[in-house]
Amino acid sequence: MMKNRTDIVYTEAADAIRILVATDNHVGYGERDATRKDDSWKSFDEIMRLAKHRDVDMVLLAGDLFHDNNPSRQSMYQVMRSLRLNCLGEKPCELEMLNDKTDVFEGAFDHVNYEDPDINVAIPVFSIHGNHDDPTGIGHLASLDILQMGGLVNYYGRTHESDNIEVKPVLLQKGSTKLALYGMSNVRDERLFRTFRDGKVKFFRPGAQEADWFNIISVHQNHHAYTETGYLKEELLPDFMDLVVWGHEHECLIEPRQNPETGFHVMQPGSSVATSLVAGEAVPKHVSVVTVTGREFTTESIRLKTVRPFLYKEIALAEDPITKKLARRENNRAEVTRRLEAVVTDLIKQAKQDWVALQGESEEEVDVPLPLIRLRVDYSTPDGGSFDCENPQRFSNRFQSKVANVNDVVQFHRKKTAASRRPVAGIELPEESAAASTTLDTVKVEKLVREFLAAQNLTILPQMNFGDAVAQFVDKDDKHAMEMFVADTLKSQVQHLLKLDDDDDMDEALEENRTRLEELFSKGQYKPKKKAKLRPKPANWDSDLNGNWSDEPAALIHPGSDVEDEDDDDASRASVPPPMRGRGRGRDRGGTTSTRKSAASAKKTTPAKTARSRKKQAEEESDDEDVEMLDNMENSEDESQSQLFVQDTPPPTRSRKAAAPKRGAQQKLTQTTLNATRSQASARTGAQGGAGLSRGTSRQASIAVESGDDDEDDAFEPVPAKGRAKK
């Protein structure tokens, strides 16, 4: 039973459990934006300060504490800072945990943090993971695992198997009030729907006095029916629940709403930071303090004051009293732009006034942050005519230093018509996509992809897997999701084709394997790669200047590739030293001189051929084509550049093959060119001793060049040991 309260005066009872409820903090969102980089963690810090100021017994978070499952150091630092400042202290926690701790907590410390004798926790924080901060990588760890290991958060509600889910409660008691805290972390909606349908979700209840427990569950799933199976129906949750805290949806619906079929109440706190410019995000952000006493509860909503102001407005030019007469007028762009500019200016003024009013009276001058403004303009003309609209980005840039989103203030769209789109190449495409009339946050990406691909004739890529990859790219900001999906699918198709006989039809085989992949995906048996394998970050990579190394296309290791070879090639490309200055080669060929000298110097310091060097020569023989290309480039140079190389003098004790090479052969330093892959120590030796190469080194280089004139296959024949011993 719920009782609403409007006053903030509360007489504390010895058996009342006060819970601050929040969700979808998305710490780290927009941290690369110069204007909005601190918005997410400031709002989270305000929530934690409210928990301390209101003297609550615990904090309940329903997922997506971080915007990324691999949060930056800045995000992790700010979250840990807020938790330490507001949740640790000498005040004793009055909650008593009754059930076996190993049933709900895992890891090295399988107990609730306020019972740890080494940590003074005043306000415990309980959290499930969402779809943004889900566990991944080696050890299948989430960012919440790190916070739990530090004793700052109690991470519960894990879902180890998405097709066999067991939900066990955390049993807490204060005085005579007993609280059963359930949690179900995020699972892909379609898979969760099948798991409920197959009866593979089990909810455990306290073994004694079931009627005395107040049951709360936090979930992080789609709340609205974007697709038939792409959401969690409220009716699927057990009816013995008293309160459901719903995460994932960002629209703030803080007042609990009772489900008439199940009887429990549903609360949707929404996000604490705007991650998209849609109408749902413009609703004022709140958190709630839920007070549970026995089997009854009351709620108190609290408006967040640090959230950046955001105003959203829709306007139809054909219905606006000022612009509707401009539809039949030619060259009406200036008048339309002037009208829209006035509307945006009014919104900016209103946002500033609302912010000042929200902060209340203060002796200090209030620093008003730049607001977020979104004007959605319908420029369709049902009665004929047209509106000439300015480019959206150019229009938005008119408000530099006035708004926080200077590139997407306005959004133009037309009303959806019943007429279908023109068929292309015999394919009947669906109606004008909802992408033109809504944003990606109001319509699921998978649904848009499914509508579009349903009209296509895919023969290689499976449709359902395609939609999932796009959703991973958009929802989780996985830069390599599409690339990994295409690479995995092509690898599967190629392996399937290699098993065919000569008489088998290739098109039928591709279609058969594609259908098989879709069936596996629909049954939940298809398990794509969770995380792309990345090459090690180069030593000279600056993340502050160049961005995250993991976002670079060159960082991805494609399936089936030679990882070691690609790592070496990529490292050499990413960390190439700058060209040598001073006595180097010409401007167009900088850097080659140092490698040639280092090769010659390396030969000088090596007393005899080792097994490793003979192996390198064998590898060099396989690169004849590349050598020939380099030779052609060098033969085309003028005669003056040949003076930059060391002149080879024939030793008197050598045979005819040791004679001085011709000038054309002298430029064919193929062996020393390919020795650019030697170690850095050899390169440094070559650079230091390049000006004064010894006679023995010149003689060795001469032999290598001369042997290339006799026979191309013998171009890299090892020099006899007796010749190398002569100094």
Side-chain angles (χ1 to χ4, degrees), residues 31-76:
E31 59 183 356
R32 293 186 176 275
D33 189 304
T35 305
R36 306 167 63 184
K37 59 183 180 180
D38 298 330
D39 289 2
S40 58
W41 69 261
K42 284 184 176 179
S43 297
F44 177 76
D45 184 66
E46 180 187 4
I47 294 173
M48 292 298 103
R49 285 188 284 107
L50 282 173
K52 183 177 182 180
H53 176 69
R54 297 299 178 111
D55 194 24
V56 299
D57 294 300
M58 57 177 286
V59 176
L60 179 60
L61 304 178
D64 280 355
L65 171 59
F66 293 98
H67 185 68
D68 192 357
N69 57 14
N70 185 23
S72 65
R73 284 172 288 184
Q74 166 78 353
S75 300
M76 184 63 72

Side-chain angles (χ1 to χ4, degrees), residues 36-230:
R36 306 167 63 184
K37 59 183 180 180
D38 298 330
D39 289 2
S40 58
W41 69 261
K42 284 184 176 179
S43 297
F44 177 76
D45 184 66
E46 180 187 4
I47 294 173
M48 292 298 103
R49 285 188 284 107
L50 282 173
K52 183 177 182 180
H53 176 69
R54 297 299 178 111
D55 194 24
V56 299
D57 294 300
M58 57 177 286
V59 176
L60 179 60
L61 304 178
D64 280 355
L65 171 59
F66 293 98
H67 185 68
D68 192 357
N69 57 14
N70 185 23
S72 65
R73 284 172 288 184
Q74 166 78 353
S75 300
M76 184 63 72
Y77 169 82
Q78 295 295 349
V79 168
M80 297 180 72
R81 171 184 171 274
S82 297
L83 292 174
R84 287 200 59 177
L85 288 176
N86 300 287
C87 297
L88 301 186
E90 296 181 355
K91 176 193 132 178
C93 180
E94 301 181 19
L95 298 176
E96 179 184 2
M97 188 169 181
L98 303 180
N99 59 332
D100 187 0
K101 307 165 182 62
T102 58
D103 288 342
V104 290
F105 299 114
E106 300 177 5
F109 303 96
D110 54 353
H111 55 265
V112 70
N113 64 345
Y114 62 83
E115 292 184 354
D116 194 319
D118 299 323
I119 307 175
N120 292 328
V121 178
I123 304 176
V125 178
F126 293 84
S127 178
I128 63 174
H129 75 251
N131 61 311
H132 280 263
D133 54 0
D134 55 336
T136 184
I138 300 176
H140 202 61
L141 299 175
S143 52
L144 292 176
D145 284 297
I146 301 176
L147 296 178
Q148 177 169 297
M149 189 58 59
L152 299 175
V153 165
N154 299 294
Y155 177 23
Y156 79 112
R158 304 170 190 252
T159 51
H160 298 287
E161 301 179 49
S162 57
D163 54 353
N164 187 19
I165 301 176
E166 295 183 349
V167 184
K168 298 181 180 181
V170 180
L171 303 181
L172 304 173
Q173 182 175 358
K174 179 184 177 183
S176 60
T177 299
K178 297 179 175 62
L179 176 66
L181 182 62
Y182 293 82
M184 188 168 60
S185 294
N186 177 263
V187 179
R188 194 171 183 273
D189 291 287
E190 288 78 7
R191 179 167 294 181
L192 184 62
F193 178 86
R194 292 193 300 269
T195 307
F196 269 104
R197 179 196 61 190
D198 299 338
K200 297 294 185 180
V201 181
K202 300 178 183 178
F203 291 85
F204 292 77
R205 301 191 66 179
Q209 301 176 340
E210 292 184 356
D212 295 339
W213 291 88
F214 186 88
N215 303 288
I216 298 180
I217 184 173
S218 57
V219 298
H220 194 96
Q221 304 292 150
N222 284 334
H223 202 181
H224 303 289
Y226 298 105
T227 61
E228 294 181 358
T229 61

Side-chain angles (χ1 to χ4, degrees), residues 330-633:
E330 297 183 358
N331 301 326
N332 55 16
R333 173 177 293 189
E335 291 86 349
V336 171
T337 302
R338 193 178 302 113
R339 169 57 179 163
L340 297 180
E341 190 173 355
V343 173
V344 173
T345 302
D346 292 340
L347 291 176
I348 296 175
K349 186 182 301 183
Q350 179 184 348
K352 293 182 177 180
Q353 294 174 354
D354 294 345
W355 171 270
V356 174
L358 179 62
Q359 306 307 314
E361 297 182 0
S362 177
E363 297 180 357
E364 300 179 358
E365 185 178 355
V366 179
D367 185 14
V368 182
L370 297 179
L372 296 170
I373 303 295
R374 168 51 64 90
L375 179 63
R376 192 161 180 264
V377 181
D378 176 14
Y379 65 100
S380 57
T381 53
D383 299 330
S386 63
F387 292 105
D388 187 8
C389 299
E390 190 176 15
N391 179 272
Q393 185 169 356
R394 186 181 300 114
F395 176 86
S396 301
N397 290 339
R398 293 172 178 264
F399 302 95
Q400 290 280 354
S401 70
K402 296 181 180 179
V403 297
N405 54 319
V406 294
N407 293 321
D408 49 6
V409 172
V410 68
Q411 180 188 34
F412 295 105
H413 75 101
R414 289 179 179 271
K415 281 187 178 179
K416 194 174 181 180
T417 58
S420 59
R421 298 171 62 184
R422 180 181 301 176
V424 179
I427 300 176
E428 184 70 19
L429 294 177
E431 295 181 357
E432 197 70 36
S433 175
S437 58
T438 62
T439 62
L440 294 177
D441 293 87
T442 57
V443 176
K444 292 296 291 181
V445 177
E446 295 174 76
K447 182 179 179 181
L448 295 177
V449 174
R450 188 180 299 109
E451 289 179 357
F452 179 76
L453 296 181
Q456 311 303 314
N457 186 19
L458 297 180
T459 58
I460 298 179
L461 302 178
Q463 174 182 328
M464 299 181 65
N465 310 50
F466 200 135
D468 180 68
V470 175
Q472 294 290 324
F473 176 80
V474 175
D475 295 339
K476 294 190 176 182
D477 198 23
D478 188 349
K479 300 291 191 304
H480 305 297
M482 292 299 300
E483 193 170 359
M484 292 298 297
F485 157 68
V486 174
D488 290 342
T489 304
L490 293 181
K491 180 180 178 181
S492 175
Q493 292 284 28
V494 169
Q495 291 177 350
H496 184 70
L497 292 178
L498 292 177
K499 300 177 183 178
L500 300 179
D501 298 331
D502 296 338
D503 299 335
D504 294 337
D505 187 272
M506 183 178 298
D507 294 336
E508 294 181 358
L510 290 174
E511 178 65 23
E512 176 185 354
N513 191 50
R514 185 184 67 85
T515 305
R516 181 183 65 85
L517 293 177
E518 289 187 349
E519 292 177 354
L520 291 176
F521 185 85
S522 61
K523 296 178 181 179
Q525 300 176 359
Y526 177 78
K527 297 182 179 180
K529 293 184 180 298
K530 293 294 183 182
K531 194 72 174 178
K533 293 184 179 180
L534 304 178
R535 297 186 177 89
K537 184 173 68 173
N540 62 346
W541 184 269
D542 191 339
S543 300
D544 294 333
L545 298 177
N546 305 323
N548 290 333
W549 168 248
S550 58
D551 296 341
E552 290 296 316
L556 180 64
I557 298 177
H558 295 274
S561 63
D562 191 342
V563 178
E564 294 182 357
D565 292 346
E566 288 195 7
D567 286 346
D568 295 340
D569 295 342
D570 184 72
S572 62
R573 288 194 301 269
S575 58
V576 173
M580 299 293 294
R581 295 185 179 180
R583 298 181 58 188
R585 297 187 65 182
R587 176 181 58 185
D588 297 334
R589 305 182 61 182
T592 309
T593 304
S594 62
T595 58
R596 293 172 185 268
K597 290 181 179 180
S598 58
S601 177
K603 291 181 181 180
K604 174 182 176 181
T605 58
T606 305
K609 287 283 184 180
T610 61
R612 184 176 180 180
S613 61
R614 288 194 297 270
K615 181 179 178 181
K616 285 190 175 182
Q617 285 187 341
E619 293 175 354
E620 291 172 349
E621 289 180 0
S622 62
D623 296 333
D624 290 340
E625 294 182 0
D626 296 337
V627 173
E628 188 63 26
M629 178 177 65
L630 293 173
D631 293 342
N632 293 336
M633 294 173 59

Side-chain angles (χ1 to χ4, degrees), residues 678-698:
R678 289 187 179 273
S679 64
Q680 295 182 359
S682 299
R684 287 194 297 267
T685 305
Q688 294 173 0
L693 292 176
S694 66
R695 181 177 179 181
T697 306
S698 302

